[in-house]
Structure formats: structure tokens, C-alpha cells
Amino acid sequence: MVFKNKVDDLAIFGTQPAFAEKLHVGRPNIGDREQFLKHVNKILDNRWLTNNGPFVQQLEHKLANFLGVKHCIAACNGTVALEIAIRASGLSGEVIVPSFTFIATPHALQWQEITPVFCDIDPQTHVIDPEQVEALITPRTTGILGVHVWGQPCNIEALTEIATRHHLKLLFDASHAFACSYHGQMIGGFGDAEVFSFHATKFFNTLEGGAIVTNDDELAAKIRLMKNFGFSGYENVIYIGTNGKMNEVSAAMGLASLENISKTIEVNKNNYNIYQNQIAHIPAVNILNYNSHESCNYQYIVCELDTEVTPFSRDQFIEILWAENILARRYFHPGCHRMEPYRSYFPHAGLLLPNTERVTDRVFLLPTGQTITPETIESICQLIRLILSNSQEIISKLEQCGHVNSFFVNSLSQFYSNRI
Ligand code: T4K
């Protein structure tokens, strides 16, 4: 780590980055490594690698217990799990969904020719705003798909009331919300079904993976059929299905992750507390506060740059951080309504999504997790303070050297062509 205390030291002006190694958002949490390797050996000995093997069954059982739900159906990833949950629930026509989410959420609908109707978010919590939902209901609406963004629960009570009153299905994309609670109850048991992603970057990971959880026996049975081509028994297909199965090695990773879950939360929470204390003294940055009365996985350090307080745009600011090897991310930028095919289908959607537009222009995530130490966080925050308290000087210097936001764009494309 190179300590920097003046503008000329910043890497954007050609000096060495503050951090020798790139600091990523989304470095995987690795659970009990020994346990995982032991499981993998057992899987190889078993010669049972997939198709509802013993490790998948064990994981499903443990997850259902952990979440306090009747049924947990493991899947190969969160996107396929969403597609299956949507299909099994009988959604069609239009489904109301936030635009402020990962593109997989609306894609899982559109993939089945169901129209995602984008709804605005609450600017404080970044989750779907129930007050806006009701205005979007039409005779074609069959459901609401809420997303517990950053592990912040949706206003489940209000959404349940609206769904019940209008006879709509209610599903949740809980990809970010494993081990988070709502009114003291684990996310997982709400609505008709909830869907998790266990992708490598998620709080709880199975390398790739996901799960659908529900308390509805009939729905669970249908989902089990659908994720295995519709097979009922060995040779009998009774339903249209796909291949949504989780493999045994992924399940082993899940079991090893589950062993370590309280330690992972502790690391994340400690990192979050340090960030929160440090960022509280930086006027242009607001950190998203998690509700301390609920369980939370603290997987994301979500900040907003107050562009009314600093002359930097969020992208200029991020560019300066990237030069220092702090790879802050702009999740979810742009909103899904500004990505294809949606921007062609609904070119004016942004007019109804002012909070989404504002948040997508301001939000950035900072690195956290097992690989980020408290000292690293303090150094990141010290650099942020240096940058933001010298914004005018930095902007003038950048203008003088004819800098045109190219670094970030180049770094991004370089990053994606050479991932490690
Ligand atoms: N719904 C929501 C709300 C979601 O957030 C997601 C997934 C889904 C549904 C769909 O679930 P899955 O089908 O993915 O299970 C990432 C993830 O690929 C994606 O799973 C996730 N959301 C989304 C929010 O983030 P990218 O394009 O940002 O991924 P990537 O490859 O840039 O990785 C993020 C960072 O993590 C990088 O800086 C590098 C680091 N990384 C990544 C991987 C895979 C590592 O250090 N090691 C790794 O193994 O989408």
C-alpha cells in the first residue's frame, strides 16, 4: 500500500496505484476449505456427480431448516431458478418488477415472453416502492416480483396486501438476501416462493447455484419436476421442464459455506462498521444503513455520491478510484429499462422511474469480504477523503492534461478481456 496525502500522488496523474493488487467487489467468500475438499473426495469416491445426489439432498435439507421453510429446491444458478419459479407459479402477461436489479430478474420473465413492467424504488432502501406498484396493475398483470436488493427486505407486508387484494402471485428475487430477516423471520418464507442465487460473488455461494424456497407443497412438487425435464420417476415425463439441477460439487461448496456462515457474517459486519464510521465523516458520500434490528449478511458496502455536494460525477469519482486499483462497481448501472431489449420496447420508461434514474447515477459499491482487512478499509477511506476534499484542484488538473474519462472505460474493457 502506497500512502498518499496530496493530489499529485494520485495514480490518475500517472503515479503508482495505492494498492499493488486490484481490490474487487465480489471476491468469493470461501467457507470451510478442508470440509469442502473432503466432500469433493467423497463425491469422487461415490461416483455420483449430479442428478439429485446425496450432497444436494443434504444441502436442501439444511437450507430449508436454516431458512425455516418447508421446501428448498436447489438449482444450477439463480437465473434458471427464477425462470422455473416464474413458470411453475403460472405467471403470464405482465409482471411488475423493479428496474433497479440485476438484468437476470427481468430477463427471467422476458425469456418466457412475459412483459416486465418496471416499477420505481424507494430512494432510501433501493427496493420496489409498493405505492407505485398499484398504479401499474392492468388486466394483464398476473404477479409482482420484488427484489430484496443488497439484502434489504422489500416492504413485504404492503406487497402481500396488494397481491392478495388483486389476486396476484407474489414472488421474491432474494438473490442478495441469504441470512437476512424481515420482522425477525428469515427471508425465504414469504410470498408464493422466493429465489436465491448462490453465485460465486454472493454472500453464500455454491460456485454457481441457486435455490427456490416455498411453503407451498403443490408448487414445490411442480418445481421439482420442472427442474428435471419434467421427469416423474425413471422414464416418465409428465410436464414440460428444463435442466435446472445443481451438481454435487456445488452442493459440497454450499455445505462448507454453511458451516462458516456466522464467521462470514462477522467479517462482513466488522468491515461494514469500519466503513460506516469512516464514511460518516465524508460529507459527499452516504452509506446505505442496514436495519440493525434485523439479521443481515452485510455483503454489500453500498454508497451514494452526493453530486449536489461534490463537483465530481459518480463516474469521474470511480475512475479515480480504479486508477488506485480500488475497483468500485456501479451496480446496477444503467437501470434494466435502459438495457436491451427493454430500452427499445419501452423507450420512455425512465419518465416513471425518477428514483431509479437518480440512484443508478449515484450509487457505487466498495470492496469488502474476507480478503479486505480493516487497514485496507481505512486506507480506502483516507483516499476517498483526499479525493473529495480536493475535487476542484483534481478537476482543473485533469482538464489541464486533457483527460477525457478514458481511463475507466479502458480499464473496464481491459478488466473484462483479462479477468485475473
Ligand atoms: N437476481 C439478482 C438480484 C442478482 O444479483 C443476480 C446475480 C441474479 C438474479 C442471477 O443469479 P445467477 O444466475 O448469477 O446465480 C455478477 C454476478 O455474475 C451475478 O451473479 C450477480 N447477480 C451480479 C450482481 O454480479 P458481474 O457481471 O458483476 O460479475 P463479475 O464477473 O464482474 O464479478 C464481480 C466481481 O467479482 C469482479 O470484480 C471479480 C470478482 N470475482 C468474480 C468471480 C466470478 C472474483 O473475484 N472471483 C470470481 O470467481 O455479475
Side-chain angles (χ1 to χ4, degrees):
M1 154 81 199
V2 181
F3 180 73
K4 305 194 172 191
N5 63 359
K6 52 184 196 308
V7 165
D8 287 339
D9 293 341
L10 293 174
I12 192 96
F13 299 119
T15 66
Q16 215 183 331
F19 296 95
E21 295 209 353
K22 296 187 187 323
L23 305 180
H24 293 274
V25 170
R27 269 276 186 256
N29 296 321
I30 309 291
D32 186 331
R33 187 185 291 244
E34 291 308 313
Q35 197 66 40
F36 171 65
L37 296 172
K38 244 166 90 182
H39 288 336
V40 172
N41 263 327
K42 181 87 172 100
I43 290 165
L44 298 179
D45 289 343
N46 285 348
R47 288 186 189 266
W48 194 278
L49 308 184
T50 185
N51 288 12
N52 202 28
F55 282 90
V56 165
Q57 289 180 32
Q58 203 186 330
L59 181 67
E60 287 180 341
H61 182 70
K62 288 200 172 180
L63 290 180
N65 276 347
F66 181 84
L67 299 169
V69 285
K70 269 173 96 178
H71 305 280
C72 170
I73 300 113
C76 55
N77 61 53
T79 306
V80 169
L82 270 172
E83 287 167 8
I84 295 173
I86 288 164
R87 190 160 192 136
S89 308
L91 295 182
S92 62
E94 293 174 0
V95 170
I96 298 166
V97 65
S99 168
F100 190 70
T101 179
F102 189 57
I103 196 68
T105 321
H107 272 6
L109 293 162
Q110 189 65 51
W111 191 252
Q112 313 185 59
E113 300 194 353
I114 298 166
T115 305
V117 174
F118 292 119
C119 183
D120 212 0
I121 50 168
D122 175 326
Q124 300 305 320
T125 57
H126 298 179
V127 297
I128 193 165
D129 179 357
E131 285 188 20
Q132 312 278 328
V133 167
E134 197 131 17
L136 299 172
I137 296 173
T138 72
R140 293 189 70 227
T141 310
T142 57
I144 303 167
L145 174 52
V147 184
H148 306 304
V149 181
W150 321 133
Q152 297 255 92
C154 296
N155 184 341
I156 296 174
E157 214 171 312
L159 293 175
T160 306
E161 191 277 320
I162 295 169
T164 310
R165 192 153 37 81
H166 291 270
H167 309 289
L168 302 176
K169 297 282 181 194
L170 179 60
L171 298 184
F172 291 104
D173 177 342
S175 291
H176 297 187
F178 190 81
C180 299
S181 70
Y182 176 77
H183 293 181
Q185 186 188 326
M186 278 297 173
I187 297 286
F190 297 101
D192 293 285
E194 303 208 57
V195 175
F196 292 100
S197 162
F198 301 149
H199 180 258
T201 56
K202 293 291 181 284
F203 166 68
F204 170 84
N205 89 80
T206 61
L207 312 173
E208 287 271 4
I212 306 153
V213 292
T214 179
N215 286 315
D216 181 331
D217 299 342
E218 209 178 308
L219 185 63
K222 202 162 164 186
I223 289 168
R224 279 204 183 279
L225 284 172
M226 279 187 159
K227 75 133 191 207
N228 187 29
F229 313 99
F231 271 109
S232 163
Y234 215 44
E235 289 174 338
N236 191 24
V237 172
I238 59 163
Y239 214 86
I240 184 155
T242 184
N243 183 355
K245 289 172 277 126
M246 178 182 274
N247 70 70
E248 287 287 272
V249 176
S250 285
M253 184 70 174
L255 290 167
S257 300
L258 210 51
E259 290 282 319
N260 256 35
I261 207 145
S262 44
K263 279 194 204 148
T264 314
I265 293 180
E266 204 179 300
V267 169
N268 279 355
K269 187 171 183 188
N270 193 38
N271 285 355
Y272 170 76
N273 287 339
I274 302 170
Y275 268 120
Q276 201 184 31
N277 287 335
Q278 297 271 329
I279 287 173
H281 306 292
I282 307 178
V285 180
N286 300 318
I287 186 165
L288 182 116
N289 289 313
Y290 291 109
N291 181 348
S292 58
H293 301 296
E294 298 287 358
S295 302
C296 181
N297 60 35
Y298 299 94
Q299 175 73 357
Y300 300 102
I301 305 296
V302 184
C303 298
E304 281 184 38
L305 188 70
D306 189 342
T307 44
E308 274 132 43
V309 173
T310 172
F312 285 124
S313 70
R314 185 270 319 271
D315 291 357
Q316 284 172 325
F317 173 66
I318 285 200
E319 188 180 2
I320 299 167
L321 294 181
W322 272 59
E324 305 294 350
N325 274 341
I326 304 167
L327 306 189
R329 294 293 300 259
R330 300 182 291 179
Y331 293 125
F332 298 103
H333 174 90
C336 295
H337 66 285
R338 286 184 176 269
M339 299 210 223
E340 291 297 355
Y342 313 108
R343 88 172 155 213
S344 296
Y345 291 167
F346 321 112
H348 306 298
L351 294 172
L352 287 176
L353 304 167
N355 294 333
T356 305
E357 298 267 278
R358 188 178 150 87
V359 170
T360 49
D361 281 345
R362 293 159 72 112
V363 86
F364 62 96
L365 273 69
L366 290 170
T368 184
Q370 294 165 337
T371 56
I372 304 292
T373 63
E375 296 71 40
T376 302
I377 297 173
E378 280 168 20
S379 303
I380 292 172
C381 293
Q382 184 269 329
L383 263 169
I384 292 178
R385 277 195 296 273
L386 174 68
I387 296 164
L388 292 173
S389 51
N390 293 284
S391 46
Q392 280 305 352
E393 189 186 341
I394 296 170
I395 286 175
S396 319
K397 267 181 81 96
L398 285 173
E399 278 167 6
Q400 272 166 30
C401 54
H403 182 88
V404 279
N405 244 35
S406 56
F407 178 85
F408 182 49
V409 175
N410 288 341
S411 311
L412 262 181
S413 55
Q414 217 176 43
F415 172 62
Y416 278 102
S417 56
N418 177 17
R419 302 304 296 270
I420 309 297

